Amino acid sequence: MDFFRVYTVDEALAVLRKHIAWDFGVTYVTLREALGRDVGEEITAPEDVPGFDRSTMDGFAVRAQDTFGASEGLPAYLTVTGEVLMGQKPGGSVGVAEAYHIPTGGMLPDGADAVVMVEYTEQLDEHNIGVIRPVAPGENIIRRGDDLKAGSLLFPAGHRLRPQDLGLLAAAGISKVPVRKRVRVGIITTGNEVIPVDQTPGPGQVRDVNSYTSYAQVLENGGVPEEYGIIPDDFHAVADVVQGALEECDMVVISGGSSVGTRDVTARVVDSLGDPGVLFHGLAVRPGKPTIGAVIGGKPVIGLPGHPVSAMVVFNLIVRPLLNPHYRSIPVQARILRSLRSQPGKEDYVRVSLAYKDGELTAEPILGKSGLIATMAGADGLVRIPLDKEGVEAGDIVEVLLF
Amino acid sequence: MDFFRVYTVDEALAVLRKHIAWDFGVTYVTLREALGRDVGEEITAPEDVPGFDRSTMDGFAVRAQDTFGASEGLPAYLTVTGEVLMGQKPGGSVGVAEAYHIPTGGMLPDGADAVVMVEYTEQLDEHNIGVIRPVAPGENIIRRGDDLKAGSLLFPAGHRLRPQDLGLLAAAGISKVPVRKRVRVGIITTGNEVIPVDQTPGPGQVRDVNSYTSYAQVLENGGVPEEYGIIPDDFHAVADVVQGALEECDMVVISGGSSVGTRDVTARVVDSLGDPGVLFHGLAVRPGKPTIGAVIGGKPVIGLPGHPVSAMVVFNLIVRPLLNPHYRSIPVQARILRSLRSQPGKEDYVRVSLAYKDGELTAEPILGKSGLIATMAGADGLVRIPLDKEGVEAGDIVEVLLF
């Protein structure tokens, strides 16, 4: 490790991933429990869905060719020879110039290849209808296997399941879903100056903020947070707790105080516990520079910056991609209302609040030191100013990462 | 109610809200439990945060005026008369031409009004330093109350708490958070043709898909889903279950089959159970027209369309705003790759998949009938074509609602 070089986000993620060795195996959960879980192994459709040709409309199952040329002036006359009942196989088949009553979702009788909507028919007498619009073969029906073909890929391993994915699994008849174990994340707070939330800070003391934001961010990204409390800046005390967390968890986030002492102890402890140890110490991101990245025995250990805003930004940039690798943050475009300067060689993340003005989305930068959590709670997202840019001008269209 | 008029989404929400009478009271939860909950009553800051002037850098606490004019050629010489320790009140004060060592987060000693970063000092001997850059009063410090002023508004009632909001509450020392009760949503599936997921559909039968997607969508929007199973299309059977769900829940979603029989029974049952009953029957949305909106005894009852895709779209348009009123769906801009036609007088929601092509976000429409759940699982979002538009042209920039 080059202790004096700061890493870009991409470099940091690459070096962490190179050393992380996770194997979560596969476990089965019920369909409802599968929401937000990562698929454990490729899932394919066990059968055709639907398993039969089905009507998508209320109307009449017909042979399409019998309706060709039909119009209001010259209807096609058909004899209704049967009725399809929901949940039942049709009793017969549709012959030339014949039709079956069919409800939405009903199984298409043999012989029929289309459905005429009831709106485009007129009842002539008890047994006969006139069709006033032609239908093409396949119209208003879903064919067997149109939704899913037996054996087709539903989800690759690693896919995180959303509500619509549960719907697809339900349609395919998969009631037990193979998923990966959730990532268990140990959250450790260090710092002599950090006190529990329900105490009143004395001089030089601050309340523990970062363990709450980290806890919530782990949950939001599908991990299981495990709390290890507030540990004083003592090498052996911190080492014991980090060691214990590494045994019980897949990942450790040290959500420290912001003092030099805290940062030093964290880096020394992490480097002492195993190989490869600390991989980088410093991220080319503002806010977020004092970030420590390490891997010990295949498990990542991330030392977040002490300032709450920096800690949340770094969590989003470094911890989230590890926890939730398929997370896609699609930026929204907005017009920035103030010019922002940036140092080249650092990615800047500027908090902004979004509002619609004259029908256009605008981003108002929230200026304030990264120690001020109030600036984060007021923000809707972050504008990223890339490494090689010196800033943005008021009126520019910028990309906002929502959070 | 005008049974023959379809409602726009805005009209539908307005008429539902006019009749909904929910009172969730206020209950207290721990800070960690508060993630995703709605604030129950206005929360204000109980005290100034920070409670003391604090350094944001490692360096020396000084009187700024003693550094004015300092440069590398002509440093300002100061005597270090003390050290601020983390978590402790400084032992003395900083006088003329004096400085205190101070760590990041340390409490500013009396007399000092700025902090010089250690990088801009040189150690001359055991007790004396040279400052090579001037600091302005207030530089590198956060003043008492800069983050939060005692009595200032943190969150209005109704705000849904995000990770950064938990951080703000932690900083303010609020460890018990007043929240509203979660909305309890009864999910009822109806339809003779609907069978449980673990069974194989016979002719004309379909597996229950909508209760899974609704369950997941309720969870995602902060509600508590309660399942009432699959009920046959029988007036009394459906009425009993809806009645029971209305007693136990705050809202009922009838996630029915798609047959006419199912829709008829649902509408008649809902209208029979109390006032005002059914408010609209038909939504000017595609897919999603066969939607029933009702309120009974102050509780909304929504009959979703039977097709899974339509049901999910209508959930997002009608159920989500009721469950999660502060949800802000900020659309992303993308270039649409195909032209789409739309009927004026209906809002069209077209499923699209998103991809970056040549650095630009593009939206590829996923065409397919709304009965096909596979089209929903493959989609990243919906393009809305407003009521008064006839379509979009390939190459147009469109707004995509992510899901």
Side-chain angles (χ1 to χ4, degrees):
Chain A
M1 187 194 105
D2 176 357
F3 262 102
F4 297 98
R5 191 166 79 79
V6 295
Y7 275 51
T8 65
V9 170
D10 288 344
E11 290 171 337
L13 287 172
V15 71
L16 288 167
R17 287 192 173 122
K18 197 177 124 189
H19 291 96
I20 292 173
W22 276 338
D23 177 13
F24 291 129
V26 173
T27 178
Y28 283 78
V29 297
T30 67
L31 198 40
R32 290 198 181 87
E33 291 166 342
L35 182 66
R37 301 297 297 265
D38 293 339
V39 169
E41 60 189 17
E42 189 178 284
I43 301 177
T44 57
E47 60 193 46
D48 285 339
V49 174
F52 52 89
D53 297 350
R54 195 166 79 182
S55 176
T56 62
M57 292 290 170
D58 297 321
F60 295 90
V62 300
R63 293 157 25 105
Q65 66 196 80
D66 292 347
T67 69
F68 293 170
S71 66
E72 280 195 57
L74 190 64
Y77 297 110
L78 304 178
T79 306
V80 181
T81 55
E83 177 170 9
V84 178
L85 298 174
M86 284 308 292
Q88 292 182 27
K89 198 172 158 70
S93 63
V94 173
V96 177
E98 291 180 354
Y100 263 51
H101 255 296
I102 191 166
T104 302
M107 180 175 183
L108 203 72
D110 285 342
D113 60 2
V115 168
V116 179
M117 287 169 69
V118 70
E119 291 90 326
Y120 299 127
T121 62
E122 45 192 29
Q123 195 73 34
L124 300 176
D125 59 36
E126 204 184 333
H127 295 294
N128 293 286
I129 57 168
V131 174
I132 60 171
R133 265 204 204 180
V135 282
E139 201 165 331
N140 298 325
I141 62 177
I142 293 179
R143 295 272 185 201
R144 175 185 178 131
D146 263 0
D147 207 348
L148 300 175
K149 293 256 180 290
S152 62
L153 177 69
L154 300 184
F155 301 107
H159 177 85
R160 183 155 294 185
L161 295 164
R162 304 162 300 166
Q164 58 266 47
D165 300 333
L166 265 51
L168 186 61
L169 292 168
I174 295 169
S175 58
K176 292 284 178 187
V177 187
V179 296
R180 290 186 183 159
K181 211 184 74 177
R182 287 180 195 273
V183 181
R184 197 166 282 274
V185 183
I187 297 172
I188 299 172
T189 302
T190 62
N192 290 337
E193 79 280 23
V194 182
I195 61 164
V197 164
D198 54 5
Q199 293 179 18
T200 301
Q205 296 183 321
V206 290
R207 291 198 179 94
D208 173 24
V209 168
N210 292 346
S211 83
Y212 291 92
T213 52
S214 292
Y215 177 94
Q217 287 179 297
V218 168
L219 273 186
E220 279 209 330
N221 287 287
V224 180
E226 295 286 345
E227 292 286 343
Y228 288 88
I230 303 169
I231 317 298
D233 290 329
D234 171 79
F235 183 91
H236 295 290
V238 175
D240 279 355
V241 176
V242 175
Q243 182 88 64
L246 278 168
E247 280 161 22
E248 294 164 356
C249 302
D250 307 301
M251 183 172 181
V252 175
V253 170
I254 303 177
S255 146
S258 52
S259 67
V260 190
T262 299
R263 292 203 303 269
D264 284 355
V265 169
T266 300
R268 285 190 295 123
V269 163
V270 171
D271 218 29
S272 75
L273 290 178
D275 289 326
V278 173
L279 297 165
F280 60 88
H281 194 156
L283 208 56
V285 157
R286 199 174 68 173
K289 183 165 182 283
T291 298
I292 297 168
V295 173
I296 296 171
K299 297 177 176 180
V301 180
I302 309 297
L304 297 178
H307 285 155
V309 176
S310 317
M312 290 197 76
V313 168
V314 171
F315 191 106
N316 279 338
L317 297 176
I318 302 293
V319 182
R320 175 156 66 190
L322 301 178
L323 265 180
N324 192 357
H326 297 273
Y327 178 83
R328 297 203 314 167
S329 178
I330 295 175
V332 303
Q333 317 264 335
R335 194 173 296 283
I336 191 129
L337 298 178
R338 285 164 193 262
S339 300
L340 296 170
R341 292 284 137 262
S342 167
Q343 291 171 23
K346 269 195 186 178
E347 284 184 344
D348 264 84
Y349 289 87
V350 180
R351 287 145 273 165
V352 295
S353 66
L354 295 172
Y356 277 97
K357 287 191 183 152
D358 301 328
E360 187 182 58
L361 198 60
T362 61
E364 173 78 52
I366 297 177
L367 304 172
K369 294 169 181 160
S370 63
L372 302 180
I373 183 76
T375 63
M376 196 75 176
D380 297 309
L382 296 171
V383 169
R384 173 174 168 269
I385 305 176
L387 283 174
D388 55 351
K389 284 192 70 176
E390 291 181 11
V392 295
E393 295 296 324
D396 282 358
I397 294 292
V398 294
E399 296 201 329
V400 181
L401 297 162
L402 301 180
F403 56 59
Chain B
M1 189 194 100
D2 175 357
F3 262 102
F4 296 98
R5 191 165 79 80
V6 295
Y7 275 51
T8 65
V9 170
D10 288 344
E11 288 171 338
L13 286 173
V15 71
L16 288 167
R17 287 193 172 121
K18 196 177 124 187
H19 291 96
I20 292 173
W22 275 338
D23 177 13
F24 290 129
V26 174
T27 177
Y28 283 79
V29 295
T30 67
L31 199 38
R32 289 198 181 86
E33 292 167 340
L35 182 66
R37 301 296 298 266
D38 294 339
V39 169
E41 59 190 16
E42 187 177 286
I43 302 177
T44 56
E47 59 193 49
D48 284 339
V49 175
F52 53 90
D53 296 351
R54 195 166 80 182
S55 176
T56 63
M57 292 291 170
D58 298 320
F60 295 90
V62 299
R63 294 157 24 105
Q65 66 197 80
D66 292 348
T67 69
F68 292 172
S71 67
E72 279 194 57
L74 190 65
Y77 297 110
L78 303 178
T79 305
V80 181
T81 54
E83 177 171 7
V84 177
L85 299 175
M86 285 309 292
Q88 293 183 25
K89 197 172 157 71
S93 65
V94 172
V96 176
E98 290 180 354
Y100 263 50
H101 255 297
I102 192 165
T104 302
M107 178 176 183
L108 203 72
D110 285 343
D113 60 3
V115 168
V116 179
M117 286 168 71
V118 70
E119 290 91 325
Y120 299 128
T121 62
E122 45 193 27
Q123 194 76 32
L124 301 176
D125 59 34
E126 207 186 330
H127 296 295
N128 292 287
I129 57 168
V131 173
I132 61 171
R133 265 205 204 177
V135 282
E139 201 164 332
N140 298 324
I141 63 178
I142 292 179
R143 295 272 186 201
R144 176 185 178 132
D146 263 0
D147 207 349
L148 301 174
K149 293 254 180 290
S152 62
L153 178 68
L154 300 184
F155 301 108
H159 177 84
R160 183 154 295 185
L161 294 165
R162 303 162 299 165
Q164 58 266 47
D165 300 332
L166 265 50
L168 186 61
L169 292 169
I174 296 168
S175 57
K176 292 284 178 185
V177 187
V179 297
R180 290 185 182 159
K181 208 183 74 174
R182 289 180 194 274
V183 181
R184 196 166 282 274
V185 182
I187 297 172
I188 299 172
T189 301
T190 60
N192 290 338
E193 79 279 25
V194 183
I195 60 164
V197 164
D198 54 5
Q199 293 179 19
T200 301
Q205 295 183 320
V206 290
R207 291 198 179 94
D208 174 24
V209 168
N210 291 347
S211 83
Y212 291 92
T213 53
S214 292
Y215 178 92
Q217 288 180 297
V218 168
L219 272 186
E220 279 208 331
N221 287 287
V224 180
E226 296 286 345
E227 293 286 344
Y228 288 88
I230 303 170
I231 316 299
D233 291 328
D234 171 79
F235 183 90
H236 294 290
V238 175
D240 280 354
V241 176
V242 175
Q243 182 88 63
L246 278 167
E247 279 161 22
E248 293 163 359
C249 301
D250 308 301
M251 183 171 182
V252 174
V253 171
I254 303 176
S255 146
S258 51
S259 66
V260 190
T262 299
R263 291 203 303 269
D264 284 354
V265 170
T266 300
R268 284 191 293 123
V269 163
V270 171
D271 218 30
S272 75
L273 290 178
D275 288 325
V278 174
L279 298 165
F280 59 89
H281 194 156
L283 207 55
V285 158
R286 199 175 67 171
K289 181 164 184 280
T291 298
I292 298 168
V295 173
I296 296 169
K299 298 178 177 180
V301 179
I302 309 296
L304 296 178
H307 285 157
V309 176
S310 317
M312 289 196 76
V313 169
V314 171
F315 191 106
N316 279 338
L317 297 176
I318 302 293
V319 181
R320 175 155 67 191
L322 301 178
L323 265 180
N324 192 356
H326 297 272
Y327 178 82
R328 298 203 314 165
S329 178
I330 295 175
V332 303
Q333 317 263 335
R335 194 173 297 283
I336 192 130
L337 298 177
R338 286 164 192 261
S339 300
L340 296 170
R341 293 283 137 263
S342 168
Q343 291 172 22
K346 269 197 186 177
E347 284 184 343
D348 263 84
Y349 288 86
V350 180
R351 287 145 274 164
V352 294
S353 67
L354 295 172
Y356 277 98
K357 287 192 181 149
D358 302 326
E360 187 183 59
L361 199 61
T362 61
E364 173 77 53
I366 296 177
L367 305 172
K369 293 166 179 160
S370 63
L372 302 181
I373 182 76
T375 63
M376 196 74 175
D380 297 308
L382 297 170
V383 170
R384 173 174 169 269
I385 305 175
L387 284 174
D388 54 352
K389 283 193 70 174
E390 291 182 11
V392 295
E393 294 296 324
D396 282 358
I397 295 292
V398 295
E399 296 200 329
V400 181
L401 297 162
L402 301 180
F403 55 59

